Amino acid sequence: MSLPLIALFIAAFAFGTTEFVIAGVLPQVAQGLGVSVPSAGYLVSGYACGIAIGGPLLALATKSLSRKTLLLGLAVIFTLGQAACALAPDFTSMLLLRIAVAVAHGAYFGVAMVVAVGLVREDQRGMAVAVILSGLTVSNVIGVPAGTAIGNIWGWRATFWVMCALGVAATLAIAALLPRTTGYQARAASLASEVRVLARQQVWTSLILMLMLMLGQFCLFTYITPTLLEVTGLDENLVPWVLLLNGVGATLGVFLGGKLSDWKLMPSLITMLALQAVTLAIIYAVSPYPAPMVVAIIVWGGLNFAIGTPIQTRILAWTADASNLAASLIPSGFNIGIALAASLGAAMLNAGYGYRSLSLVGAFAMVVAVIVAVISHFWERRSDISPPVPAAAG
């Protein structure tokens, strides 16, 4: 892994940890700010909205800045935001600060992925995207448990102070390791060009695949703990270990997806989508049995992130001549998909369907994704059009 990619990874790890660690310290935050735990939950949904809405807007507003300058600015916003959260006097200020950091988060991942693919050869794009995505998976495996433990020992404000220190490290890494010339220059693309690239079938079909992937993942994952407790019958103390193994599978899956993206992107993507449909059907079948359920959960986690890498690589490849808006829509689309999946799962549970039914929803979504991916692939091959050349080097 090159030093510039390491710098981008560190910042991705920081943003991923601060997004997810709030769940681990939510009761302490609620008590410290004098609100109920359900009210404190808005710190999670507010962050997701900040990514989904604010990220693309900030990316468009800052497209005239050099990429290194922008990434440094976003890392500084992250760092100051963590310090401000640690000092937040009340819930309202905490919520607004989290939303501000989330806007920077959404812009960061869009820009970082564009920069990452600009730093490597064309046949290494998938692995470059995988490095950025691995920041999110590693944050779940290491950052969130560590941040939660720190909050339990020294209080939730200490968690944010540690996140602030991580932000300083990320800022210094970007300043020292990222070259001034990133292989991509945002000024070359107009707003009209940014919007037009979204009409390319490879782009909008990939966004549909992203939505289906989130349905396949988060309809079940949102309610994975009660599923493991009530359906599988696992001991409560074993659930964190299952989630840890799921995170390890996800981290391995990211790099598998990167390798496959650089080898044969669409055939690999179609195969993995089909395998995920089978895996979710297997989860439905084995969910009452602990040992096979745990194995299926690990495979499911690995495939989720293995699939995400080629989808994002494809979007970046087909928007290389105007990638600001499209790249920023990647984290935005993921978070919209997460919200829709969680809401659909809640609606099904409220309608009387059990936790087992959630995996069947995911399997159906994966079948839809296979159909869309196959049609898109043959459409692309019949048109015999190559991905665009990047707007400019700079």
Side-chain angles (χ1 to χ4, degrees), residues 197-212 266 269 273 311 314-315 318 368-369 371-377 379-380:
V197 299
L198 300 181
R200 292 172 184 158
Q201 72 90 358
Q202 294 86 354
V203 179
W204 60 260
T205 54
S206 294
L207 291 173
I208 292 174
L209 296 180
M210 183 187 297
L211 176 60
M212 293 300 104
M266 284 307 292
L269 177 57
L273 289 169
I311 290 176
R314 191 180 193 222
I315 293 174
W318 283 94
V368 173
I371 295 171
V372 171
V374 168
I375 293 173
S376 176
H377 182 45
W379 189 352
E380 179 181 325

Side-chain angles (χ1 to χ4, degrees), residues 216 220 271-287 292-293 295-304 307 359-360 362-363 366:
L220 175 59
T271 300
M272 288 189 292
L273 289 169
L275 287 174
Q276 189 69 311
V278 174
T279 301
L280 283 159
I282 290 173
I283 288 176
Y284 174 81
V286 304
S287 54
M293 179 63 165
V295 174
I297 290 293
I298 297 170
V299 174
W300 172 62
L303 282 171
N304 279 326
I307 292 168
S359 59
L360 291 181
M366 290 299 96

Side-chain angles (χ1 to χ4, degrees), residues 10-247:
I10 293 171
F13 173 79
F15 274 111
T17 301
T18 203
E19 177 180 10
F20 301 122
V21 78
I22 191 70
V25 295
L26 198 63
Q28 297 97 312
V29 172
Q31 183 179 6
L33 297 178
V35 297
S36 66
V37 172
S39 295
Y42 286 112
L43 296 174
V44 177
S45 55
Y47 198 98
C49 290
I51 294 174
I53 300 172
L57 295 177
L58 180 61
L60 287 177
T62 56
K63 68 176 185 175
S64 61
L65 294 177
S66 75
R67 302 297 88 182
K68 180 171 183 176
T69 299
L70 177 55
L71 290 171
L72 274 173
L74 296 173
V76 169
I77 291 172
F78 171 88
T79 304
L80 296 177
Q82 303 314 299
C85 285
L87 298 169
D90 53 48
F91 175 75
T92 300
S93 59
M94 182 71 163
L95 178 60
L96 294 176
L97 288 166
R98 288 276 296 171
I99 292 173
V101 172
V103 172
H105 177 137
Y108 174 81
F109 275 90
V111 174
M113 283 189 288
V114 172
V115 170
V117 299
L119 291 169
V120 299
R121 303 191 310 267
E122 183 176 348
D123 62 346
Q124 297 175 323
R125 286 175 174 175
M127 284 304 296
V129 172
V131 169
I132 306 303
L133 276 183
S134 68
L136 291 176
T137 60
V138 174
S139 72
N140 276 286
V141 175
I142 299 174
V144 172
T148 302
I150 290 168
N152 290 336
I153 297 170
W154 291 296
W156 65 270
R157 293 185 189 273
T159 299
F160 284 96
W161 282 120
V162 172
M163 293 304 307
C164 177
L166 184 57
V168 171
T171 303
L172 293 176
I174 291 172
L177 302 178
L178 197 67
R180 187 177 300 275
T181 299
T182 61
Y184 169 80
Q185 178 52 265
R187 292 186 182 89
S190 66
L191 178 59
S193 299
E194 298 280 353
V195 174
R196 276 199 299 270
V197 299
L198 300 181
R200 292 172 184 158
Q201 72 90 358
Q202 294 86 354
V203 179
W204 60 260
T205 54
S206 294
L207 291 173
I208 292 174
L209 296 180
M210 183 187 297
L211 176 60
M212 293 300 104
L213 177 63
M214 291 299 95
L215 290 176
Q217 182 176 357
F218 280 93
C219 267
L220 175 59
F221 191 79
T222 303
Y223 306 97
I224 190 63
T225 296
T227 300
L228 291 172
L229 293 175
E230 298 183 23
V231 179
T232 310
L234 281 185
D235 184 271
E236 186 175 7
N237 294 324
L238 294 177
V239 172
W241 293 103
V242 176
L243 297 181
L244 175 63
L245 291 173
N246 178 269

